């Protein structure tokens, strides 16, 4: 079967750095997405990785290792508005998105 | 400007009473998706349209139907809602279904079944 694993919940302090991990086992691989979802709202696109390495976009960076079936989302200079769930999703060989359940990130002052 | 619009944002229905959720898009995307998301769970794909071609997921109950009368609009019909159908329903669109293409989501409709 296809599986995406992420921690259920993480807590971090405002101004700090946090890394949210995602491991996956899917039928084929056509890229990995990270989405942010605030409570009661729709997911919004953050990043996409298809090649190994780090993609940086402002305070957010995403890393991929295809050989390890592993990705992480790195959030720097945390702000209170970063409190949200972060969903990892992998596009499989059929170009379907397989979603993780999300990591709820709690930011404390 | 809103690109994927869902109406209503909140919908309350009674057990067994049919309900229709709507989605519209201004992106002129070929693909429209319907997801069901329950609290603290991953979004679950119900079905999607590529243009007029309907693609149903194998485990989507027959109680869920969809219509796409034109490029801009897509509807989700729940014929006989049960208590287990209470969830957030997300509409998303994408240009096509190839690798790396981003899905854009609407704000969702939260369905309550009494």
């Amino acid at each position: 079967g296809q599986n995406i694993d992420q921690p259920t919940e993480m807590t971090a302090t405002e101004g700090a750095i946090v890394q949210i991990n995602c491991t996956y086992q899917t039928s084929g691989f056509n890229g990995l997405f990270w989405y942010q979802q605030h409570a009661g709202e729709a997911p919004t696109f953050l990043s996409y990785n298809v090649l190994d390495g780090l993609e940086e976009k402002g305070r957010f960076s995403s890393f991929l290792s295809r050989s390890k079936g592993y990705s992480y989302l790195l959030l720097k200079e945390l702000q209170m508005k970063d409190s949200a769930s972060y969903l990892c999703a992998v596009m499989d060989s059929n170009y379907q998105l397989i979603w993780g359940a999300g990591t709820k990130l709690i930011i404390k002052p | 400007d809103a690109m994927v619009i869902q109406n209503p944002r909140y919908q309350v229905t009674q057990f067994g009473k049919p309900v229709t959720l709507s989605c519209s898009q201004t992106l002129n995307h070929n693909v429209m998706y319907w997801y069901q998301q329950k609290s603290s769970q991953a979004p679950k794909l119900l079905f999607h349209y590529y243009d007029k071609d309907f693609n149903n997921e194998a485990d989507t109950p027959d109680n869920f139907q969809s219509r796409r009368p034109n490029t801009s609009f897509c509807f989700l019909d729940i014929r006989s809602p049960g208590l287990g159908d209470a969830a957030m329903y997300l509409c998303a669109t994408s240009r096509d279904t190839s690798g790396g293409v981003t899905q854009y989501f609407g704000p969702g409709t939260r369905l309550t079944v009494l």
Side-chain angles (χ1 to χ4, degrees), chain A residues 1-8 20-35 49 63-65 68-73 86-93 96-103, chain B residues 35 40-44:
Chain A
Q2 309 203 87
N3 196 47
I4 309 283
D5 284 318
Q6 315 178 224
T8 303
I20 302 173
N21 295 326
C22 170
T23 58
Y24 62 89
Q25 290 178 307
T26 56
S27 303
F29 180 83
N30 279 298
L32 185 144
F33 294 80
W34 283 97
Y35 280 80
N49 294 69
F63 172 83
L64 175 68
S65 169
K68 295 181 179 177
Y70 167 70
S71 173
Y72 67 73
L73 181 69
Y86 292 86
L87 295 132
C88 174
V90 173
M91 186 169 275
D92 69 9
S93 57
Q96 282 217 356
L97 275 183
I98 311 301
W99 292 84
T103 298
Chain B
Y35 287 90
S40 302
Q41 295 184 20
K44 178 182 182 300

Side-chain angles (χ1 to χ4, degrees), chain B residues 10-95:
Chain B
Y10 300 90
Q11 176 73 59
V12 180
T13 191
Q14 292 181 335
F15 183 93
K17 185 175 181 180
V19 66
T20 295
L21 310 181
S22 75
C23 176
S24 63
Q25 54 134 340
T26 60
L27 296 164
N28 204 33
H29 281 172
N30 293 313
V31 192
M32 295 187 79
Y33 307 81
W34 280 105
Y35 287 90
Q36 178 193 66
Q37 187 180 28
K38 296 186 177 180
S39 182
S40 302
Q41 295 184 20
K44 178 182 182 300
L45 182 64
L46 297 173
F47 24 59
H48 74 276
Y49 274 94
Y50 196 125
D51 290 333
K52 294 183 178 181
D53 292 333
F54 178 69
N55 298 272
N56 197 30
E57 292 303 298
D59 57 353
T60 299
D62 292 339
N63 197 25
F64 291 87
Q65 303 285 316
S66 185
R67 296 170 284 135
R68 189 179 186 185
N70 54 53
T71 301
S72 300
F73 285 87
C74 195
F75 299 97
L76 170 62
D77 300 308
I78 308 177
R79 293 193 295 190
S80 183
L83 298 179
D85 297 328
M88 175 77 90
Y89 289 87
L90 297 166
C91 173
T93 74
S94 66
R95 187 182 70 241

Side-chain angles (χ1 to χ4, degrees), chain A residues 2-103:
Chain A
Q2 309 203 87
N3 196 47
I4 309 283
D5 284 318
Q6 315 178 224
T8 303
E9 188 175 296
M10 298 181 70
T11 302
T13 304
E14 190 177 16
I17 299 173
V18 70
Q19 177 176 311
I20 302 173
N21 295 326
C22 170
T23 58
Y24 62 89
Q25 290 178 307
T26 56
S27 303
F29 180 83
N30 279 298
L32 185 144
F33 294 80
W34 283 97
Y35 280 80
Q36 180 190 60
Q37 187 175 26
H38 285 101
E41 298 182 11
T44 56
F45 170 76
L46 288 178
S47 68
Y48 170 72
N49 294 69
V50 68
L51 299 176
D52 290 350
L54 188 68
E55 294 278 344
E56 296 186 78
K57 193 185 291 186
R59 293 190 299 115
F60 293 5
S61 303
S62 56
F63 172 83
L64 175 68
S65 169
R66 287 172 296 170
S67 62
K68 295 181 179 177
Y70 167 70
S71 173
Y72 67 73
L73 181 69
L74 191 72
L75 292 76
K76 302 175 186 175
E77 301 170 18
L78 286 170
Q79 302 175 8
M80 297 303 292
K81 67 178 182 180
D82 297 330
S83 293
S85 287
Y86 292 86
L87 295 132
C88 174
V90 173
M91 186 169 275
D92 69 9
S93 57
N94 293 319
Y95 298 102
Q96 282 217 356
L97 275 183
I98 311 301
W99 292 84
T103 298

